Amino acid sequence: VFSDEAVLAAMLRFEAALARAQARLGMIPQSGADAVAAVTRVDPACLADEARRSATLVIPFLQRIPPEAREFAHRGATSQDVLDTALVLLLRHARQILTADHIRLVRELRALSERHAATVMLARTLLQPAMPTTFGYKVASWHGGVQRSWRRLSAAFHEAVQLQFGGAAGTLAAYGDRGPELAREVAKELQLPAPPPPWHSQRDRLAALVAQCGVYTGSLAKIARDITLLMQPEIHEISEPGGESSTMPHKRNPAGSVVTLAAASRLPGLVASFLSAMPQELERGAGGWQSEWPTVADTIQAAGSALASIADTIGGLTVHTIRMRANLEAAGEAGQGGPGAAETFRRQLLEDSE
Amino acid sequence: VFSDEAVLAAMLRFEAALARAQARLGMIPQSGADAVAAVTRVDPACLADEARRSATLVIPFLQRIPPEAREFAHRGATSQDVLDTALVLLLRHARQILTADHIRLVRELRALSERHAATVMLARTLLQPAMPTTFGYKVASWHGGVQRSWRRLSAAFHEAVQLQFGGAAGTLAAYGDRGPELAREVAKELQLPAPPPPWHSQRDRLAALVAQCGVYTGSLAKIARDITLLMQPEIHEISEPGGESSTMPHKRNPAGSVVTLAAASRLPGLVASFLSAMPQELERGAGGWQSEWPTVADTIQAAGSALASIADTIGGLTVHTIRMRANLEAAGEAGQGGPGAAETFRRQLLEDSE
Amino acid sequence: VFSDEAVLAAMLRFEAALARAQARLGMIPQSGADAVAAVTRVDPACLADEARRSATLVIPFLQRIPPEAREFAHRGATSQDVLDTALVLLLRHARQILTADHIRLVRELRALSERHAATVMLARTLLQPAMPTTFGYKVASWHGGVQRSWRRLSAAFHEAVQLQFGGAAGTLAAYGDRGPELAREVAKELQLPAPPPPWHSQRDRLAALVAQCGVYTGSLAKIARDITLLMQPEIHEISEPGGESSTMPHKRNPAGSVVTLAAASRLPGLVASFLSAMPQELERGAGGWQSEWPTVADTIQAAGSALASIADTIGGLTVHTIRMRANLEAAGEAGQGGPGAAETFRRQLLEDSE
Amino acid sequence: VFSDEAVLAAMLRFEAALARAQARLGMIPQSGADAVAAVTRVDPACLADEARRSATLVIPFLQRIPPEAREFAHRGATSQDVLDTALVLLLRHARQILTADHIRLVRELRALSERHAATVMLARTLLQPAMPTTFGYKVASWHGGVQRSWRRLSAAFHEAVQLQFGGAAGTLAAYGDRGPELAREVAKELQLPAPPPPWHSQRDRLAALVAQCGVYTGSLAKIARDITLLMQPEIHEISEPGGESSTMPHKRNPAGSVVTLAAASRLPGLVASFLSAMPQELERGAGGWQSEWPTVADTIQAAGSALASIADTIGGLTVHTIRMRANLEAAGEAGQGGPGAAETFRRQLLEDSE
């Protein structure tokens, strides 16, 4: 999603939308807009090196646009307008990918919970046997955490996917009194909602998005942690698909859960990085803003990897109900009694999050 | 808010509510509930040391309750029920304090923005002069960031302030089939909403709350950063009240902004701590859960300190409009032209967040 | 270690040392130094509130010193001189406490490793059975991690425990050309090494100390993680002392390990907080510096708590060698063969870290 | 440094070294070792996808080795042996690159400090004028921070660049009693020091390395922060080379400092990620270990980028001594007096860190 090609393509989409909107409002000739829109690719070679020299990708990016288009491109915009909007377009795309995997995960969790509504097993607290519960309730709890976190993440995406368009000082001064009108047209071109005022140094929407990725991924990691524990041969209540070892043919590793845990463990640090860059200087930060791209890209990549892997894992999970029963019996006092309100709570968790 | 006394009092409130609810449902005699409700204080001496030995505050806490009450207290509950609910009660209280300061801050920001709707000044990007803007628009941008972040934080409080009540395994098994009914009664006693299923190892609601504290405080720190920069004598466009130096009588430090920045800079790490504790083991975590209290307490304390200080600061801010004008003129090309759509955006920011 | 009283006492020690050194060099009369040294306590009431107003504790602190002493106190020093030096004095004290617990832990680990040099058990990778190893080797690996980390932490303490003394601008200008000479005398008074140049906004020594606390505590948490896993009843190869449950009398929780894991999980966030405050502005930071105290205090407190708890736990550990053997046999192919070079490595680990 | 090709090449170097060492000790025929050593490239296509399925790169990696070599490759080793050793080889290479840039930076800093030993300027604390200092002393303070941090980082590299070789359970059991002997031979082949016992789940050496990268980069960011502040046109005491704006031809941005600040701001979160993965389960972690690669790669990449950029920046810095003098005069009382012991401290800082 955040490959060099994708970034440059998204930047070109912004420039094309801006030029077309300007043409529609009579600010530049239609032929100028066409010239800009005709640029479909920018050569990424050496771009990174040149970008470092001016601390922005935008200058070498514009220099790679053919002169006849360059003349009508980027007029009145600032580098942050194109970069933030490109980021937002990539986030919109990322959201679609995450959504598909999330729906798959949730479907699997619901089915698994229903299937094991009555599968009694041992609840464990502080890794010690506590009392009976059901596997269906456990899965519904996973589902609850994931689904609530998704709702928050979804709202955060909704709020963050917005046009950035403010010009050099966030005032759109280059367009006289027609700035806000032009902004609306650009947003329409990009199928973005009516734009808010520029947010060059107000990063709360993105910060909330990154933070909710962190919470969501934490909820995924909770599932993975449980699987690695229940898959210990000494417990052996569930098994993952796959997971061969390079040395020991007899071994079966919790490969999917491990990928999820590994990816998820990167999130807290990424969230901290984004949050600590929030106090950006005046109308555009000197360092904080420029640090955001890799953090956002890593966040989405790690969250997506954690999600895809746990969805696969849940889809292929084997549940050893006989062993669950045996462990319960072996637990003595801790395994006695019934699962209380497990079924009530299980249903409530699945309903709440429909 | 999170003093030892406050924690113990909140724990007692849970135990009293549980006993009263049980009496109402005929599970214990009314006199038993009265005995529990009559306990108004628990001796905090040596509690911490004893708590370390069992990794939970609850065992020494219960031992300090007089025997006649202890017999009817905590029946069928688990240590996490009382601790999580106590935490939630303290968070409800913290929310009130934060709300009062937030309202004060927002009122000051709105008034300041209105007052300076037409005060032209220099916008600065990457700490370099860019183009003219207005101080009113700048303040409205601060206001926008703070107000949006508050809305998210508010929603997170709403979602997180919930009863925790699940018993040893999250099934309320000790109450037969009356667990959910009892849970509703306990919630009512504590004026909490109808309770969700137990969330012993599903910490997403608290995680989202801590994360939104991080985003909110980031928005406060943004204001403070700008003030420290604009208050540099070489720029001198605004001044904070107070801020004497211990060595140099001629000096006036940005004391309020510094307190805000210092408090706010603790948040990203705290959020990371909370998020990395999310993958808690099975029905109750071994380490992750137990790490949450100090993190939440520090989060609220730091956010509250950052908020109170910036509210005071904004309330006492002096704006040097003549100097703003002079800096604009001194900026040469960067200071020329008008503030474009600054007023449109300013109004939009104040309206959006009403 | 970091109580209000301890902080104020350490601040007074700095002021007394400064006054005595000045008297020795003839800068103030001996009676003035005696007056300063005679102040043994400062009233902490309301200090925090007043400190917030000026963003420094030092102004209200000095106001609480009796006038006859105040006249000769803090002459030519800056608030950061007294606060940083007070911090350093508290860190020196903290180091002693940590050292005692570390020595105890290491002694227990070595004895445990020797005792179980030949106790064969199952190695587990990705929580799956791998091949035989020895418990003595496992403990020696714990020991190796802890001991190496301690050496680094110890070096970091050594480097960080230094006088801070620079005056308002880090030039000791108030003392003419006698600043460095006075600095040496102050250091001697406080039994600190010959002082480096002022480090008001160069925080690398403290940053390295906090970071090494993080690594050290990570090595402690590794032990605790292993104990919680090996103490699962389904594995039951070791048991902690203590750990009662508030609900289930049959249950024995890994209480000590949980305290260690909980405390340790705060460290990564604290280290991040400290590191992100490093780029402090010019000759004294506006926010970054002021954020350090709570971070350092929490770091030391959490590290100390993790250490004390794991030392107690190791000291009371029960090893179930019969169960180890039984688990090995039950592991089939994974449990076959011998422990290879386990004993060679075990000895090497204990020797390396003597 | 951490490209796919580089990783696979480093993995092949491990396998070749292992095979050669085994041939030397008569464990496999020399022709087998030659076959392994003859493999110079592995096809990276689809490798990542396959790696995800088994949570390790090693299985698909080995499958891509031609059968005649595969038969003699990886014998008795475990996937973590090859991956950790490959990481270490890449770190050794990274160290060389960082060293060259560090030496360049230090040389520039020393020359700049010498050149401006007597250039008097205003010291600023909390972004307010304090008293006179010299630019040479300020640069020497930067130099001190960077040089001390480098020494620690250098020691951390030295300690971390070690062979990993333990086999499935860290006992090298596959080689009978010749494991340690073989390990020494493998280390020699790779020009690594005599190997320590396996460190599969003891990550303190790498943790210390990542943490010291964080401290070092913090010291670089301190320089960059100062430059952005002193380059404000209202202060204008120094100027960076380069830094054009995409909109405003009159503008000159602190481009190099911004790149350094942006890269550096990623470090605290990365360090937190690494530290929080330290408590790895038993003989090999399920998630923690697997999370390390991207964290280490990002750490080195960000540190290297911050370093290269600040070295370039310092090399091209323009110092406006006349403006420094003017600002001093404009500062009134704060600008009066001399720079005290600035020159003494400056020399001490340069000498200490030779």
Side-chain angles (χ1 to χ4, degrees):
Chain A
V1 173
F2 289 89
S3 67
D4 290 355
E5 277 72 22
V7 172
L8 293 171
M11 291 170 75
L12 283 175
R13 288 193 62 193
F14 172 85
E15 298 295 356
L18 173 59
R20 268 192 297 240
Q22 285 184 297
R24 202 174 318 140
L25 299 188
M27 295 172 171
I28 62 170
Q30 184 60 43
S31 60
D34 293 344
V36 176
V39 184
T40 54
R41 197 177 164 276
V42 147
D43 183 10
C46 309
L47 204 58
D49 276 350
E50 291 180 41
R52 256 186 56 180
R53 222 160 304 146
S54 49
T56 168
L57 199 57
V58 177
I59 293 176
F61 162 78
L62 291 174
Q63 281 160 352
R64 276 162 174 76
I65 291 181
E68 69 281 7
R70 199 191 311 153
E71 187 187 348
F72 298 102
H74 199 67
R75 279 205 182 173
T78 189
S79 60
Q80 198 172 1
D81 291 339
V82 54
L83 284 170
D84 275 350
T85 303
L87 181 61
V88 155
L89 295 174
L90 297 182
L91 285 172
R92 181 167 65 180
H93 180 50
R95 185 187 184 182
Q96 291 167 353
I97 296 170
L98 293 176
T99 302
D101 276 339
H102 173 75
I103 287 171
R104 181 160 65 96
L105 170 63
V106 158
R107 197 194 318 119
E108 299 283 5
L109 286 171
R110 297 182 68 91
L112 191 62
S113 178
E114 296 291 7
R115 208 148 58 233
H116 291 283
T119 304
V120 179
M121 70 180 294
L122 195 56
R124 293 175 178 90
T125 57
L126 287 83
L127 293 178
Q128 297 293 314
M131 292 182 78
T133 187
T134 67
F135 186 62
Y137 174 33
K138 181 193 287 281
V139 175
S141 290
W142 293 346
H143 176 272
V146 164
Q147 190 70 337
R148 287 190 301 273
S149 301
W150 178 258
R151 259 192 235 133
R152 288 181 213 107
L153 176 56
S154 223
F157 265 116
H158 184 77
E159 212 188 338
V161 174
Q162 304 260 20
L163 180 70
Q164 173 69 282
F165 190 49
T171 61
L172 292 176
Y175 311 106
D177 56 2
R178 302 186 69 190
E181 184 189 0
L182 176 60
R184 279 190 299 274
E185 293 301 314
V186 178
K188 257 187 239 162
E189 284 286 340
L190 295 167
Q191 292 163 290
L192 290 168
W199 41 282
H200 290 146
S201 56
Q202 292 291 347
R203 315 303 284 177
D204 58 287
R205 291 185 191 94
L206 285 179
L209 173 58
V210 168
Q212 297 296 8
C213 275
V215 177
Y216 179 67
T217 315
S219 295
L220 302 175
K222 155 66 179 161
I223 305 178
R225 173 79 72 215
D226 282 4
I227 293 175
T228 60
L229 292 168
L230 296 176
M231 197 175 149
Q232 294 173 98
E234 295 87 353
I235 292 183
H236 196 58
E237 298 185 351
I238 53 181
S239 300
E240 272 200 21
E244 312 84 0
S245 153
S246 75
T247 357
M248 294 167 284
H250 60 273
K251 227 186 136 193
R252 204 165 160 202
N253 285 321
S257 300
V258 160
V259 169
T260 296
L261 286 168
S265 82
R266 299 179 63 199
L267 264 289
L270 291 166
V271 173
S273 290
F274 199 98
L275 292 177
S276 63
M278 281 186 76
Q280 298 182 4
E281 293 89 351
L282 304 171
E283 275 69 36
R284 187 161 324 152
W289 167 51
Q290 296 80 358
S291 76
E292 292 176 359
W293 268 85
T295 300
V296 173
D298 285 0
T299 295
I300 294 294
Q301 190 275 328
S305 167
L307 171 56
S309 187
I310 200 70
D312 291 349
T313 302
I314 293 291
L317 213 62
T318 311
V319 183
H320 308 300
T321 57
I322 293 170
R323 184 65 181 263
M324 286 178 174
R325 174 67 61 184
N327 286 342
L328 204 57
E329 277 158 21
E333 204 178 333
Q336 287 168 24
E343 181 55 16
T344 307
F345 290 148
R346 191 188 72 81
R347 278 206 220 114
Q348 196 179 337
L349 282 162
L350 294 190
E351 274 160 30
D352 272 4
S353 41
E354 246 160 27
Chain B
V1 172
F2 288 89
S3 67
D4 290 355
E5 276 72 23
V7 172
L8 293 171
M11 291 170 73
L12 284 175
R13 288 193 61 194
F14 171 84
E15 299 294 354
L18 173 58
R20 268 193 296 240
Q22 285 184 296
R24 204 176 314 141
L25 299 187
M27 294 172 173
I28 61 170
Q30 184 60 43
S31 60
D34 292 345
V36 175
V39 184
T40 55
R41 198 178 164 274
V42 147
D43 183 9
C46 309
L47 204 58
D49 276 352
E50 292 181 39
R52 256 186 55 179
R53 225 159 302 146
S54 49
T56 168
L57 198 58
V58 176
I59 292 176
F61 163 78
L62 291 173
Q63 280 161 354
R64 275 162 174 77
I65 292 180
E68 68 281 7
R70 200 192 309 154
E71 187 186 347
F72 298 103
H74 199 67
R75 281 206 180 171
T78 190
S79 59
Q80 197 171 2
D81 291 339
V82 53
L83 284 170
D84 275 350
T85 303
L87 181 61
V88 155
L89 295 174
L90 298 181
L91 285 171
R92 182 167 65 180
H93 181 51
R95 185 186 184 180
Q96 291 167 354
I97 297 170
L98 293 176
T99 301
D101 277 339
H102 173 75
I103 288 171
R104 182 161 64 96
L105 170 63
V106 159
R107 196 194 320 119
E108 299 284 3
L109 285 171
R110 297 182 69 90
L112 191 63
S113 178
E114 295 290 7
R115 209 147 58 232
H116 291 285
T119 304
V120 180
M121 69 179 294
L122 196 56
R124 293 174 179 92
T125 56
L126 287 84
L127 294 177
Q128 298 293 313
M131 291 182 79
T133 187
T134 67
F135 186 62
Y137 174 33
K138 180 193 290 281
V139 174
S141 290
W142 294 345
H143 177 271
V146 164
Q147 190 71 338
R148 285 190 302 272
S149 302
W150 178 258
R151 258 191 236 136
R152 288 180 213 108
L153 176 55
S154 225
F157 265 116
H158 184 76
E159 212 189 338
V161 173
Q162 304 260 22
L163 180 70
Q164 174 68 281
F165 190 48
T171 61
L172 292 176
Y175 311 106
D177 55 2
R178 303 186 68 191
E181 184 189 0
L182 177 61
R184 281 191 297 275
E185 292 301 313
V186 177
K188 258 188 236 161
E189 283 286 340
L190 294 166
Q191 293 164 290
L192 290 168
W199 41 282
H200 292 145
S201 54
Q202 292 291 348
R203 316 303 285 176
D204 58 287
R205 292 186 191 92
L206 285 179
L209 173 58
V210 168
Q212 297 295 9
C213 275
V215 178
Y216 179 67
T217 315
S219 295
L220 301 175
K222 155 67 181 163
I223 305 178
R225 173 79 70 217
D226 281 5
I227 293 175
T228 60
L229 291 168
L230 296 176
M231 198 175 150
Q232 294 173 99
E234 294 87 351
I235 292 184
H236 196 58
E237 298 185 351
I238 54 181
S239 301
E240 270 200 23
E244 313 83 0
S245 152
S246 75
T247 355
M248 293 167 285
H250 59 271
K251 225 187 137 192
R252 206 168 160 199
N253 286 321
S257 300
V258 161
V259 169
T260 295
L261 286 168
S265 81
R266 299 179 63 199
L267 264 289
L270 291 165
V271 173
S273 290
F274 200 98
L275 292 177
S276 62
M278 281 186 76
Q280 297 183 4
E281 293 89 353
L282 303 171
E283 275 69 37
R284 188 159 324 148
W289 167 51
Q290 295 81 356
S291 76
E292 292 176 359
W293 267 85
T295 299
V296 173
D298 284 1
T299 294
I300 295 293
Q301 191 274 329
S305 169
L307 171 56
S309 188
I310 201 70
D312 290 350
T313 301
I314 293 291
L317 213 63
T318 311
V319 182
H320 308 299
T321 56
I322 293 170
R323 184 65 183 263
M324 286 177 174
R325 173 67 61 185
N327 286 343
L328 204 57
E329 278 159 20
E333 203 180 333
Q336 286 170 22
E343 181 57 13
T344 307
F345 290 147
R346 192 189 71 82
R347 281 208 216 113
Q348 197 179 336
L349 282 161
L350 295 190
E351 274 160 31
D352 274 1
S353 44
E354 245 162 26
Chain C
V1 172
F2 289 88
S3 67
D4 291 356
E5 277 73 22
V7 172
L8 293 170
M11 291 170 74
L12 284 173
R13 286 191 64 191
F14 171 84
E15 300 294 355
L18 172 58
R20 266 191 298 236
Q22 285 184 298
R24 203 175 315 142
L25 300 187
M27 294 170 171
I28 62 170
Q30 184 60 42
S31 59
D34 293 345
V36 176
V39 185
T40 55
R41 200 179 163 271
V42 148
D43 183 10
C46 310
L47 203 59
D49 277 350
E50 291 180 42
R52 257 187 53 181
R53 222 160 304 147
S54 48
T56 167
L57 197 60
V58 176
I59 293 175
F61 162 79
L62 291 173
Q63 281 159 353
R64 276 161 172 80
I65 290 181
E68 69 280 8
R70 199 191 310 153
E71 187 186 349
F72 299 103
H74 199 69
R75 281 208 180 169
T78 189
S79 59
Q80 198 172 1
D81 292 339
V82 54
L83 285 170
D84 276 351
T85 303
L87 181 62
V88 155
L89 295 174
L90 298 181
L91 285 171
R92 182 167 64 180
H93 181 50
R95 185 188 184 179
Q96 291 168 353
I97 297 170
L98 293 176
T99 301
D101 278 338
H102 172 76
I103 288 172
R104 182 161 63 96
L105 170 62
V106 158
R107 198 195 317 118
E108 299 283 4
L109 286 171
R110 296 182 69 91
L112 192 61
S113 177
E114 296 289 7
R115 209 148 57 233
H116 292 282
T119 305
V120 180
M121 69 179 295
L122 196 56
R124 293 173 178 92
T125 56
L126 288 82
L127 294 177
Q128 298 292 316
M131 292 181 79
T133 187
T134 67
F135 186 61
Y137 174 32
K138 181 193 287 281
V139 175
S141 290
W142 293 347
H143 177 272
V146 164
Q147 189 71 337
R148 285 189 301 273
S149 302
W150 177 258
R151 257 190 236 134
R152 288 180 212 106
L153 176 55
S154 222
F157 265 116
H158 184 77
E159 213 189 337
V161 173
Q162 303 260 22
L163 179 70
Q164 174 68 284
F165 189 50
T171 61
L172 293 176
Y175 310 106
D177 55 2
R178 301 186 68 191
E181 183 189 0
L182 176 60
R184 281 191 298 274
E185 292 300 314
V186 178
K188 258 187 235 162
E189 283 286 338
L190 295 167
Q191 292 164 289
L192 290 169
W199 40 283
H200 291 147
S201 55
Q202 292 290 347
R203 316 303 283 177
D204 58 286
R205 291 186 191 93
L206 286 179
L209 173 58
V210 168
Q212 298 294 8
C213 275
V215 177
Y216 179 67
T217 315
S219 295
L220 302 175
K222 154 66 179 162
I223 305 178
R225 173 79 71 220
D226 281 5
I227 293 175
T228 61
L229 291 168
L230 296 177
M231 199 175 147
Q232 295 173 97
E234 295 86 353
I235 292 184
H236 196 59
E237 298 185 351
I238 53 180
S239 301
E240 270 200 23
E244 312 83 0
S245 152
S246 77
T247 356
M248 293 167 285
H250 59 271
K251 224 185 136 192
R252 205 167 160 200
N253 285 321
S257 300
V258 161
V259 169
T260 295
L261 286 167
S265 82
R266 300 180 62 200
L267 264 289
L270 290 166
V271 173
S273 290
F274 200 98
L275 292 178
S276 63
M278 280 187 76
Q280 298 183 4
E281 292 89 355
L282 303 171
E283 273 70 36
R284 186 159 326 151
W289 167 50
Q290 296 81 358
S291 76
E292 292 177 359
W293 268 85
T295 299
V296 173
D298 284 0
T299 294
I300 294 294
Q301 191 275 327
S305 168
L307 171 56
S309 189
I310 201 68
D312 290 351
T313 301
I314 292 291
L317 213 63
T318 311
V319 182
H320 308 299
T321 55
I322 293 169
R323 184 67 181 263
M324 286 178 174
R325 173 67 60 183
N327 286 342
L328 204 58
E329 277 157 21
E333 201 178 336
Q336 288 169 23
E343 180 57 14
T344 307
F345 291 147
R346 192 189 72 81
R347 278 206 219 115
Q348 196 180 340
L349 283 162
L350 295 190
E351 274 161 29
D352 273 4
S353 42
E354 249 162 25
Chain D
V1 173
F2 289 89
S3 68
D4 290 356
E5 276 72 22
V7 172
L8 293 171
M11 290 170 75
L12 283 174
R13 285 192 64 193
F14 171 84
E15 299 295 356
L18 173 57
R20 267 192 296 239
Q22 284 184 299
R24 204 175 317 140
L25 299 187
M27 295 170 170
I28 62 170
Q30 184 60 41
S31 59
D34 293 344
V36 177
V39 185
T40 54
R41 200 179 161 272
V42 148
D43 183 10
C46 309
L47 203 58
D49 277 350
E50 292 180 40
R52 257 187 53 181
R53 223 160 303 148
S54 49
T56 168
L57 197 58
V58 177
I59 292 175
F61 163 78
L62 291 174
Q63 281 160 352
R64 276 163 174 77
I65 291 181
E68 69 280 8
R70 199 191 310 152
E71 186 184 349
F72 298 102
H74 200 67
R75 282 209 180 167
T78 190
S79 59
Q80 197 172 1
D81 292 338
V82 53
L83 285 170
D84 275 351
T85 303
L87 181 62
V88 155
L89 295 175
L90 298 181
L91 285 171
R92 181 168 65 180
H93 180 49
R95 186 186 184 181
Q96 290 168 353
I97 297 169
L98 293 176
T99 302
D101 277 338
H102 173 76
I103 288 171
R104 181 161 64 97
L105 170 63
V106 158
R107 197 195 318 119
E108 299 283 3
L109 286 171
R110 297 181 70 90
L112 192 62
S113 178
E114 297 289 6
R115 209 147 58 232
H116 291 282
T119 304
V120 180
M121 69 179 295
L122 196 55
R124 294 173 178 92
T125 56
L126 287 81
L127 294 177
Q128 298 293 314
M131 292 181 77
T133 187
T134 67
F135 186 62
Y137 174 32
K138 179 193 289 281
V139 174
S141 290
W142 294 345
H143 176 272
V146 163
Q147 189 71 338
R148 285 189 302 272
S149 302
W150 176 258
R151 258 191 236 135
R152 288 181 212 107
L153 176 55
S154 223
F157 265 116
H158 184 76
E159 212 189 337
V161 174
Q162 302 261 20
L163 179 70
Q164 175 68 283
F165 189 49
T171 60
L172 292 176
Y175 311 106
D177 55 1
R178 303 185 68 190
E181 185 190 358
L182 176 60
R184 280 191 298 274
E185 292 301 314
V186 178
K188 257 187 238 162
E189 284 286 342
L190 296 166
Q191 291 164 291
L192 290 169
W199 39 283
H200 291 147
S201 55
Q202 291 291 346
R203 316 303 284 177
D204 58 285
R205 291 188 192 92
L206 286 179
L209 173 59
V210 168
Q212 296 297 7
C213 275
V215 177
Y216 179 67
T217 316
S219 294
L220 302 175
K222 155 66 180 161
I223 304 178
R225 172 79 71 221
D226 281 5
I227 293 175
T228 61
L229 291 168
L230 295 177
M231 198 175 148
Q232 293 171 99
E234 296 86 352
I235 292 184
H236 196 57
E237 298 185 351
I238 53 181
S239 301
E240 270 199 21
E244 313 82 0
S245 151
S246 76
T247 357
M248 292 166 287
H250 59 271
K251 227 186 134 190
R252 204 167 160 198
N253 285 322
S257 300
V258 161
V259 169
T260 295
L261 286 168
S265 82
R266 300 180 62 200
L267 265 290
L270 290 166
V271 173
S273 290
F274 200 97
L275 292 178
S276 63
M278 280 186 76
Q280 298 182 3
E281 293 89 352
L282 303 172
E283 273 69 37
R284 188 160 324 150
W289 167 50
Q290 295 81 357
S291 76
E292 292 176 0
W293 268 85
T295 300
V296 172
D298 285 1
T299 295
I300 295 293
Q301 190 275 328
S305 168
L307 170 56
S309 188
I310 201 70
D312 290 351
T313 302
I314 292 292
L317 213 64
T318 311
V319 182
H320 308 299
T321 56
I322 293 169
R323 185 65 182 264
M324 286 179 175
R325 174 67 61 183
N327 286 342
L328 203 58
E329 276 159 21
E333 204 180 332
Q336 287 168 23
E343 181 57 13
T344 308
F345 291 147
R346 191 188 72 80
R347 281 209 217 112
Q348 195 179 340
L349 282 161
L350 295 190
E351 274 161 30
D352 273 2
S353 42
E354 248 161 27

